Amino acid sequence: MPEITLVGTGGMMPLKYRWLTSCYIEHNGSAVLIDCGEGTQIALAQAECKISRINVLLITHTHADHVSGLPGFLLSLGNSERTEPLDIYVPYGKTKIIKNLMCICDRLDFDVRIHELSTKDESSFIAETIDPMLEVRSLPLRHSCDCLGYSLTFRRKQVFLPDEAKRLDVPLEKWKILHRGESVLLDDGRTITPDMVTQNSRRPIKITYVTDTLPFAAISEFAYGSQLFICEGMYGDRDKKKSMNHKGHMLMQDACRLAQNAQAEQLWLTHYSPAEFYPENYSKELKKLFENIVISKDGQKTEIKD
Amino acid sequence: MPEITLVGTGGMMPLKYRWLTSCYIEHNGSAVLIDCGEGTQIALAQAECKISRINVLLITHTHADHVSGLPGFLLSLGNSERTEPLDIYVPYGKTKIIKNLMCICDRLDFDVRIHELSTKDESSFIAETIDPMLEVRSLPLRHSCDCLGYSLTFRRKQVFLPDEAKRLDVPLEKWKILHRGESVLLDDGRTITPDMVTQNSRRPIKITYVTDTLPFAAISEFAYGSQLFICEGMYGDRDKKKSMNHKGHMLMQDACRLAQNAQAEQLWLTHYSPAEFYPENYSKELKKLFENIVISKDGQKTEIKD
């Protein structure tokens, strides 16, 4: 099951006591990284995440606090003797910025494959290099530049029903094939389809990551039913609302309302302003808006289980 | 007098316990920064250096561990409400790399003036925005890409001799003019020149900074007479010599020999390999080669006095 580490929780600039917002999601020995600001490679080491396992990098947008760590990250990946390609996903039209930043990465022994995602509509793809059942979706957000929210949905194999397989006289060597979702033709001419010997009792695991943006209703639809919703909350002080509107950000209270409407199971706040020294001070007030909230700290981890 | 802070001491990649090599030199409220790798802005904050005071940035070369922190640094300078221009000096032909990195810095309210320095010959300029008497010199080094060493020479005002000025009946209001190096014409027709009322007893202060390079004799000439010579020493293990030659680096022992030949007063080692966990282990051996050596640590400071 995926293990999620919120590597950093800061916005705007890295601080000596708070890394920039970034998230590492490991599953079956491979990992997705979301965003890579200055210092993210150090934050990953501090949080005991293995950069060598990262096969997919999702970039929300190309403001410096979300991408400036990219060249150092790529070089460190190279130093880990990587040869497998790395897939980087960016908002539409931003390949050039990634390539510009890579002008100081002249010694990479692996391919960097850059993919652009729509900034007009939702889009989705299967992250094959992590898991053929992992679907990544992106949602255009409302920020001062093109920005994407991401959700990761880990679909899960059906539960195999051995009693049913036995009852239907399916030979043992065919069970694996049926379990991975393919039909089989038996010697006696019968076709057995997967649904005859499996049961879909495992719900998918969904993680949604949204920063930097104004709050708006479609975010809740996008995050609907997430076991974990990670969302920006720049400030807890309601007096900052106007300035947040102006800058394309949201308050912690906005994030709570989005989580409530999304019927998310848990909300992790992140992307605090450098001027928000004690985000935990708002805990009591925020719990009234959304009970299962975590005022995240750098390096916070969880494993989502059944 | 200049105060020097060795902000970080690491090479290749930033570590959770060691920042990348960078040096901050403050003088009269203005500062020079040498190199700006990933995390340097955090290291500066940790070492209590004021980034808002930096008027000149000297880049040794454009490998990522020396420049990848540039975009974040510039944006943080911008956030400190800077309006004065920043001068960046780079090896010849590297303006494009700096501009590429700046593609994520679209909100700067100050000018960034990029100057290229020869990679064939020594060159020098006066760092006017720090001190009209500060001369910066650059030396082409021998690395796997074009790379420059830098020396900073703070020339100092002559000592004014009030007794001599009185003896010569120079009116008090003319003293300042003479002390700053200009001649004056007195009412009685006599011309007084600065040398008549001053004495050059203050030697210049010289700081030399050399990384990344093979060791070679001209480095000692370049650093000759420095009160402080900051030099790379990737490893203390002599068995690494061949690999250092191959990579265009040097051992700590090489740095000691250069310091000895330069008749430097003090040597600070820096730019340790990430695989060199305990550089201080070589202290005893190195002191035999050059007694006044410091196995530097991040944030090390000194003020050079008379």
Side-chain angles (χ1 to χ4, degrees):
Chain A
M1 296 301 92
E3 189 179 281
I4 299 106
T5 306
L6 192 58
V7 179
T9 56
M12 210 164 126
M13 59 196 285
L15 304 175
K16 51 189 176 175
Y17 55 85
R18 192 187 285 157
W19 296 111
L20 287 170
T21 287
S22 167
C23 188
Y24 173 93
I25 298 155
E26 185 177 318
H27 175 67
N28 283 347
S30 298
V32 175
L33 181 69
I34 311 182
D35 283 343
C36 190
E38 182 175 0
T40 290
Q41 64 166 313
I42 320 171
L44 283 164
Q46 232 164 42
E48 297 182 349
C49 299
K50 301 270 179 291
I51 71 162
S52 59
R53 295 186 180 168
I54 296 169
N55 287 339
V56 171
L57 172 58
L58 307 174
I59 298 291
T60 58
H61 62 303
T62 54
H63 278 164
D65 53 338
H66 295 256
V67 290
S68 53
L70 185 68
F73 166 75
L74 293 176
L75 287 166
S76 291
L77 261 192
N79 287 329
S80 72
E81 297 185 5
R82 184 189 190 89
T83 52
E84 307 83 48
L86 174 79
D87 290 294
I88 304 183
Y89 292 84
V90 297
Y92 179 78
K94 302 300 184 188
T95 297
K96 193 170 174 345
I97 287 184
I98 301 300
K99 290 201 167 162
N100 279 348
L101 291 175
M102 286 176 62
C103 71
I104 49 173
C105 301
D106 52 358
R107 294 165 297 168
L108 300 179
D109 287 329
F110 60 92
D111 279 344
V112 175
R113 304 186 293 209
I114 306 172
H115 313 268
E116 298 190 349
L117 297 171
S118 172
T119 52
K120 305 238 179 289
D121 305 296
E122 284 192 35
S123 49
S124 78
F125 61 91
I126 300 298
E128 289 276 357
T129 58
I130 308 288
D131 184 329
M133 294 176 83
L134 169 57
E135 184 189 11
V136 178
R137 285 197 304 138
S138 61
L139 172 77
L141 299 175
R142 296 183 190 164
H143 190 46
S144 56
C145 71
D146 286 334
C147 184
L148 299 173
Y150 289 104
S151 77
L152 280 69
T153 304
F154 295 86
R155 301 200 193 288
R156 301 161 74 195
K157 271 188 180 168
Q158 313 268 36
V159 176
F160 193 74
L161 305 170
D163 290 344
E164 203 55 25
K166 276 181 207 160
R167 199 184 61 76
L168 292 168
D169 282 331
V170 180
L172 206 64
E173 67 270 19
K174 306 284 188 193
W175 289 18
K176 263 195 178 171
I177 304 170
L178 286 158
H179 194 191
R180 72 170 178 250
E182 295 169 38
S183 298
V184 297
L185 178 63
L186 301 188
D187 290 345
D188 60 13
R190 282 180 301 145
T191 295
I192 308 290
T193 55
D195 60 294
M196 293 162 74
V197 290
T198 58
Q199 190 180 34
N200 190 2
S201 65
R202 288 171 175 163
R203 62 174 190 158
I205 290 176
K206 182 175 175 183
I207 301 151
T208 303
Y209 186 93
V210 169
T211 180
D212 305 13
T213 183
L214 290 173
F216 58 99
I219 294 175
S220 294
E221 289 167 41
F222 181 70
Y224 194 80
S226 296
Q227 281 92 332
L228 179 59
F229 176 39
I230 301 172
C231 187
E232 78 154 276
M234 283 285 274
Y235 285 98
D237 176 357
R238 291 167 189 269
D239 289 348
K240 300 278 185 187
K241 183 65 188 165
K242 207 169 157 186
S243 127
M244 289 299 93
N245 280 346
H246 181 68
K247 290 177 181 165
H249 282 292
M250 68 175 96
L251 296 179
M252 297 176 187
Q253 290 82 353
D254 295 318
C256 289
R257 274 177 221 106
L258 291 175
Q260 190 66 46
N261 293 339
Q263 298 193 26
E265 289 182 14
Q266 190 167 56
L267 167 66
W268 284 9
L269 286 186
T270 190
H271 203 274
Y272 311 122
S273 162
E276 186 62 90
F277 296 104
Y278 307 108
E280 60 277 16
N281 284 359
Y282 296 94
S283 177
K284 208 171 160 186
E285 174 189 348
L286 297 171
K287 274 186 189 297
K288 286 182 196 157
L289 295 175
F290 186 79
E291 199 185 344
N292 205 4
I293 187 177
V294 175
I295 319 288
S296 315
K297 291 199 157 106
D298 289 2
Q300 180 157 311
K301 283 179 195 282
T302 191
E303 185 177 8
I304 297 183
K305 294 184 180 149
D306 282 322
Chain B
M1 297 301 92
E3 190 180 280
I4 299 106
T5 306
L6 192 58
V7 178
T9 57
M12 211 166 125
M13 59 195 284
L15 304 175
K16 50 190 178 176
Y17 55 86
R18 192 188 285 157
W19 297 110
L20 286 169
T21 287
S22 166
C23 188
Y24 172 94
I25 299 156
E26 185 176 318
H27 175 66
N28 283 346
S30 297
V32 175
L33 181 69
I34 311 181
D35 283 343
C36 190
E38 182 174 0
T40 290
Q41 64 165 315
I42 320 171
L44 284 163
Q46 231 164 43
E48 296 184 349
C49 299
K50 300 271 179 288
I51 71 162
S52 59
R53 295 187 179 167
I54 296 168
N55 288 338
V56 172
L57 172 58
L58 306 174
I59 298 290
T60 58
H61 63 302
T62 53
H63 278 163
D65 53 337
H66 295 256
V67 291
S68 53
L70 186 69
F73 166 75
L74 293 175
L75 287 166
S76 291
L77 261 190
N79 287 329
S80 72
E81 295 185 7
R82 184 189 191 88
T83 52
E84 307 84 45
L86 174 78
D87 291 293
I88 304 184
Y89 292 84
V90 296
Y92 179 78
K94 301 300 183 189
T95 297
K96 192 171 174 347
I97 287 184
I98 301 300
K99 289 200 168 161
N100 278 349
L101 292 176
M102 287 176 62
C103 71
I104 49 174
C105 302
D106 52 356
R107 296 164 295 171
L108 302 179
D109 287 330
F110 60 92
D111 280 343
V112 174
R113 304 186 294 210
I114 305 172
H115 314 268
E116 297 189 352
L117 297 170
S118 173
T119 51
K120 304 237 178 290
D121 305 296
E122 283 191 34
S123 50
S124 78
F125 61 91
I126 301 298
E128 287 278 357
T129 57
I130 309 287
D131 184 328
M133 295 176 85
L134 168 57
E135 184 190 11
V136 178
R137 285 198 304 138
S138 60
L139 172 76
L141 298 175
R142 296 184 191 163
H143 190 45
S144 56
C145 71
D146 285 334
C147 184
L148 299 173
Y150 288 103
S151 78
L152 279 71
T153 303
F154 295 86
R155 302 200 191 287
R156 302 161 73 195
K157 271 188 180 170
Q158 314 268 41
V159 176
F160 193 76
L161 305 170
D163 289 346
E164 203 56 25
K166 277 181 205 158
R167 197 184 64 78
L168 291 168
D169 283 332
V170 180
L172 206 64
E173 67 271 19
K174 306 284 188 195
W175 289 18
K176 263 197 179 170
I177 304 170
L178 285 158
H179 193 193
R180 72 170 178 248
E182 294 169 36
S183 298
V184 298
L185 178 63
L186 301 188
D187 290 346
D188 61 13
R190 283 180 300 146
T191 295
I192 308 291
T193 56
D195 61 297
M196 294 163 74
V197 292
T198 59
Q199 190 181 32
N200 190 1
S201 65
R202 286 173 174 163
R203 62 173 190 157
I205 288 175
K206 182 174 174 183
I207 300 151
T208 303
Y209 185 94
V210 169
T211 182
D212 305 15
T213 182
L214 291 172
F216 58 100
I219 294 175
S220 293
E221 289 167 41
F222 181 71
Y224 194 80
S226 296
Q227 282 93 329
L228 179 60
F229 176 37
I230 300 172
C231 189
E232 78 154 276
M234 283 284 276
Y235 285 99
D237 177 357
R238 289 167 190 267
D239 289 347
K240 300 277 186 189
K241 183 64 187 163
K242 207 168 156 188
S243 125
M244 290 299 92
N245 280 346
H246 180 68
K247 291 177 179 165
H249 281 291
M250 68 174 98
L251 296 179
M252 298 177 185
Q253 291 83 351
D254 296 317
C256 289
R257 276 178 219 107
L258 292 174
Q260 190 65 44
N261 293 338
Q263 298 194 24
E265 290 183 13
Q266 190 168 58
L267 167 65
W268 283 9
L269 286 186
T270 191
H271 204 275
Y272 310 123
S273 162
E276 186 62 270
F277 295 105
Y278 306 108
E280 61 276 15
N281 284 358
Y282 297 92
S283 177
K284 208 169 159 189
E285 174 189 348
L286 298 170
K287 274 186 189 298
K288 287 182 194 156
L289 296 174
F290 186 80
E291 200 185 342
N292 206 3
I293 188 177
V294 175
I295 319 287
S296 314
K297 292 199 156 114
D298 288 3
Q300 181 156 311
K301 281 179 195 279
T302 191
E303 185 178 9
I304 297 183
K305 296 187 178 148
D306 282 321

